[in-house]
Amino acid sequence: MDDRVSRRTEILTNHLLRRAQPLSPPFVLHPHRCLSYCPPELCNEFAFDAREMRRLMDGHNLEDRDWLFSIIVQSALFNRRERAGRIFVCPDYNQSMEQQREATMKRIGYLVERGVFRGWLTGEGPEEELRKLALHEVIGMYDHSLAVKLGVHYFLWGGAVKFLGTKRHHDKWLSATENYDMKGCFAMSELGHGSNVRGIETVTTYDSNTGEFVINTPCESGQKYWIGGAANHATHTIVFSQLTINGSNQGVHAFIAQIRDSDGNICRNIRIADCGHKTGLNGVDNGRIWFDNVRIPRENLLNSVADVSASGEYLSAIKNVDQRFAAFLAPLTSGRVTIAVSAVYMSKISLAIAIRYALTRRAFSITPNGPEVLLLDYPSHQRRLLPLLAKVYAMSFAANDLKMMYVKRTPSSNKAIHIISSAYKATFTWNNMRTLQECREACGGQGVKSENRVGHFMGEFDVQSTFEGDNNVLMQQICKALFAEYVACQKKNKPFSGLGLEHMNKPLPVIPSQLTSSTVRSSEFQIDLFHLRERDLLRRFSEEVSEHQSRGESKESAFILSYQLAEDLGRAFSERAILKTFMDAESTLPAGSLKNVLSQLRSLYAVISVDEDATFLRYGYLSTENASAVRKEVPKLCAELRPHALALVSSFGIPDAFLSPIAYNWVDSNSWSSQL
């Protein structure tokens, strides 16, 4: 006991008097200088033209994007702050929900004054639509709440007025919407029905005596729910409702209803409640709406698809109920397009931050007293981030292709756009959440800080997996469409055409019994393998659905029972379409360094997609030996792409201010002086 007391006394005395403890020879310590930040640009040369790569990646309206980047960075409204001599912009997530909503509205006003939304609804043609999409992408890179608030107003409310309405609606509403003189929202989802829009319970009847429609919420499950803009700011809404004419339900239709006056007072017979605090998107005032026999003029029916005469006669050139319903859902296509593209850009930001951090942050020495190793020089860290980088490149090309399809759409292409936008929306948003999680972990504790963005993005963007269509439901819809194509071609003995299914008309691809590295990296082999998977899964899915039907199951029940193959087929369709757009983009380039690095990225995208999907082994598309050969290419390609990592994320064209402090001098940005 006395020895322990003496020992403790000695330790405390030495500590208080700052005496050094004597060390025996095995414990000799060597002094190490403090860690310092070294810009990765000093030791990472660019082997290709990053500006040209950006042109390929962004695809359109680079000058417009840079103009809006500059507008945002220059204004104090966007929460400018300095860290280690650099300016960063990012919403202040320490604000209350009410403060975030107020900040969103102020930012919208600032952007309106600077003409950002010019032509968003009154402009015509692909060029105007591409400008709108480009600017909306930039806004989303700054703040998801701001992008969603604007998306609801311009793409959903405004898009519904433009595409479901006719001249009388355009003349009255489009300019006012574009100038933000009035504020619109989009009341489709209900407490009891989200993805199942056909089942919504809001009911609208027609009163021929007054020439008015009467909108009613018949039960609590029929209340409109999650309506962006409804809680505080929207003055008008598009109401999706069952339309009953003379006792006959004509299905879901869209109406314009005013919910607030110009002073912000809630209109008569309308009740509105706040959805409350959320895990993200707290700058958006999501609300709930009840309609208590609300009367609106007959002219407020959006009547490009169907109309009701003054006497109460139901009129529509589209006699098929399913086709009519599909026409009313057309505005949602723009929502899926913008969500899919947004997911790609958020993946870009998170990868740019995590990879730049990994190029300057060191951990552990592998030799005695040797320097610590850069995170990105560890093969395991390369394996975590670089396949995701390859995926975001692949998805960028696919997103650009989708946007071009959308802005050049025709009535005959709408079905294909619906299917492909659904596939990409699900695939890109799922991939984004996985990317955000991996990047958050790859940044360690720094990834948890809100100012470093990546961790906070997870709460902000998780909702993309379910709004504008639950991803799993969208994938099932895709498989139903593919099934219909397959059955029609089989019955009529006609070739496949559209949706990229033309490969089904060719002989079955033959996979070599023994794969070499050069074969695995061949684009011909990669697309053959993806074609083989897709056509076999489509055949299996169709046969399984048909088998269930032969046993007495309805078609809907047969689809539900075949959900496992539907999941596999939806993935196969999406990944094949993505690979094909990557190959098409690559094929436009002349030989050179840019094409070489894209070839490596395309191969990494292909092999990681194969390695992560069990169907290649489950159904025998690859032998175990060939699957192993594909897997071995993953670390090889990661190592080959490692020298290009900085150039590849720099090619995203994202301003420094839109990244975060750990993407740059994370030592100085965390210094004591930076906190003063």
Side-chain angles (χ1 to χ4, degrees), residues 190 333 346 585 641:
E190 297 179 353
T333 300
M346 302 326 295
L641 285 166

Side-chain angles (χ1 to χ4, degrees), residues 53 114 161 219 272 277 332 351 487 492:
M53 183 71 89
R114 278 145 189 82
V161 172
C219 51
I272 296 176
H277 194 274
L332 292 180
L351 283 165
V487 170
K492 298 178 182 178

Side-chain angles (χ1 to χ4, degrees), residues 119 148 219 276 331 520 556 609 611 670:
V148 168
C219 51
V520 171
E556 286 302 317
S609 298
D611 190 51
N670 282 284

Side-chain angles (χ1 to χ4, degrees), residues 527-591:
I527 198 66
D528 277 352
L529 185 59
F530 280 43
H531 283 163
L532 176 63
R533 172 181 56 163
E534 183 182 20
R535 69 190 293 167
D536 182 67
L537 287 172
L538 179 51
R539 177 187 61 80
R540 289 175 184 272
F541 177 71
S542 300
E543 289 176 355
E544 186 169 301
V545 170
S546 299
E547 183 180 344
H548 285 306
Q549 288 181 285
S550 70
R551 295 176 181 173
E553 299 286 351
S554 67
K555 182 184 287 189
E556 286 302 317
S557 294
F559 281 130
I560 291 170
L561 292 169
S562 303
Y563 74 94
Q564 290 190 103
L565 274 170
E567 291 173 357
D568 293 338
L569 176 57
R571 178 176 185 168
F573 173 81
S574 298
E575 291 182 348
R576 183 269 304 158
I578 293 167
L579 178 60
K580 183 63 168 61
T581 59
F582 201 145
M583 291 171 55
D584 290 344
E586 188 184 344
S587 69
T588 64
L589 298 174

Side-chain angles (χ1 to χ4, degrees), residues 42 191 201 272 385 411 511 513 636 660:
L42 296 180
L191 177 62
E201 296 173 284
I272 296 176
L385 296 179
I511 304 303
S513 59
K636 292 180 185 177
S660 71

Side-chain angles (χ1 to χ4, degrees), residues 14 35 73 93 122 145 151 203 227 251 286 314 344 447 459 527 545 559 578 587 591 597 620:
N14 289 334
L35 289 174
V73 171
Y93 296 116
T122 58
S145 286
V203 176
I227 311 307
N286 293 93
Y314 183 77
V344 174
I527 198 66
V545 170
F559 281 130
I578 293 167
S587 69
V597 75

Side-chain angles (χ1 to χ4, degrees), residues 316-561:
S316 178
I318 306 175
K319 303 304 179 185
N320 183 283
V321 175
D322 291 337
Q323 291 178 3
R324 202 160 62 222
F325 175 72
F328 276 116
L329 296 188
L332 292 180
T333 300
S334 67
R336 284 190 292 270
V337 171
T338 56
I339 291 168
V341 177
S342 166
V344 174
Y345 276 100
M346 302 326 295
S347 293
K348 287 181 181 180
I349 291 177
S350 61
L351 283 165
I353 292 169
I355 287 174
R356 289 190 67 93
Y357 185 60
L359 286 167
T360 61
R361 182 69 154 82
R362 296 176 179 272
F364 303 106
S365 301
I366 58 175
T367 59
N369 295 316
E372 291 183 283
V373 179
L374 285 173
L375 294 183
L376 204 59
D377 284 339
Y378 284 103
S380 59
H381 211 77
Q382 295 172 13
R383 174 62 179 78
R384 294 173 70 180
L385 296 179
L386 298 187
L388 294 172
L389 182 62
K391 285 186 178 183
V392 84
Y393 264 80
M395 292 176 186
S396 291
F397 293 126
N400 287 337
D401 188 65
L402 173 62
K403 285 188 284 185
M404 294 309 297
M405 289 177 62
Y406 177 72
V407 301
K408 296 180 179 179
R409 62 193 177 279
T410 62
S412 61
S413 68
N414 282 340
K415 180 181 177 181
I417 295 171
H418 166 72
I419 294 169
I420 294 171
S421 66
S422 297
Y424 286 176
K425 186 266 182 183
T427 302
F428 295 178
T429 56
W430 272 331
N431 180 73
N432 183 44
M433 290 310 299
R434 178 183 173 187
T435 301
L436 292 175
Q437 179 67 40
E438 197 65 65
C439 289
R440 208 296 297 157
E441 294 181 24
C443 293
Q446 291 293 326
V448 179
K449 293 185 68 176
S450 292
E451 73 170 7
N452 288 328
R453 306 202 76 185
V454 179
H456 194 88
F457 282 165
M458 295 168 65
E460 286 288 315
F461 288 91
D462 184 50
V463 68
Q464 288 190 335
S465 300
T466 50
F467 72 9
E468 304 290 345
D470 177 279
N471 284 355
N472 288 284
V473 175
L474 291 179
M475 282 299 196
Q476 290 173 22
Q477 289 181 2
I478 294 160
C479 293
K480 289 180 182 179
L482 295 175
F483 172 82
E485 288 291 320
Y486 184 86
V487 170
C489 290
Q490 293 290 315
K491 281 185 177 179
K492 298 178 182 178
N493 195 27
K494 66 174 185 177
F496 289 87
S497 178
L499 298 176
L501 296 177
E502 289 80 4
H503 66 89
M504 301 279 289
N505 303 320
K506 300 177 182 178
L508 192 70
V510 177
I511 304 303
S513 59
Q514 200 166 18
L515 294 179
T516 64
S517 177
S518 60
T519 301
V520 171
R521 297 186 184 206
S522 160
S523 59
E524 291 80 9
F525 162 76
Q526 293 162 6
I527 198 66
D528 277 352
L529 185 59
F530 280 43
H531 283 163
L532 176 63
R533 172 181 56 163
E534 183 182 20
R535 69 190 293 167
D536 182 67
L537 287 172
L538 179 51
R539 177 187 61 80
R540 289 175 184 272
F541 177 71
S542 300
E543 289 176 355
E544 186 169 301
V545 170
S546 299
E547 183 180 344
H548 285 306
Q549 288 181 285
S550 70
R551 295 176 181 173
E553 299 286 351
S554 67
K555 182 184 287 189
E556 286 302 317
S557 294
F559 281 130
I560 291 170
L561 292 169

Side-chain angles (χ1 to χ4, degrees), residues 249-354:
N249 183 11
Q250 299 295 336
V252 175
H253 289 64
F255 305 83
I256 292 176
Q258 186 168 358
I259 59 175
R260 285 186 179 86
D261 62 24
S262 57
D263 295 324
N265 301 306
I266 297 174
C267 294
R268 181 185 174 194
N269 295 342
I270 287 175
R271 290 175 286 149
I272 296 176
D274 202 310
C275 287
H277 194 274
K278 308 180 288 290
T279 58
L281 285 177
N282 283 300
V284 178
D285 53 316
N286 293 93
R288 302 147 62 192
I289 310 175
W290 292 258
F291 299 90
D292 300 328
N293 295 313
V294 174
R295 289 180 171 268
I296 61 172
R298 181 176 66 89
E299 292 75 17
N300 281 22
L301 167 65
L302 296 177
N303 64 337
S304 69
V305 175
D307 206 350
V308 174
S309 69
S311 62
E313 182 184 1
Y314 183 77
L315 308 166
S316 178
I318 306 175
K319 303 304 179 185
N320 183 283
V321 175
D322 291 337
Q323 291 178 3
R324 202 160 62 222
F325 175 72
F328 276 116
L329 296 188
L332 292 180
T333 300
S334 67
R336 284 190 292 270
V337 171
T338 56
I339 291 168
V341 177
S342 166
V344 174
Y345 276 100
M346 302 326 295
S347 293
K348 287 181 181 180
I349 291 177
S350 61
L351 283 165
I353 292 169

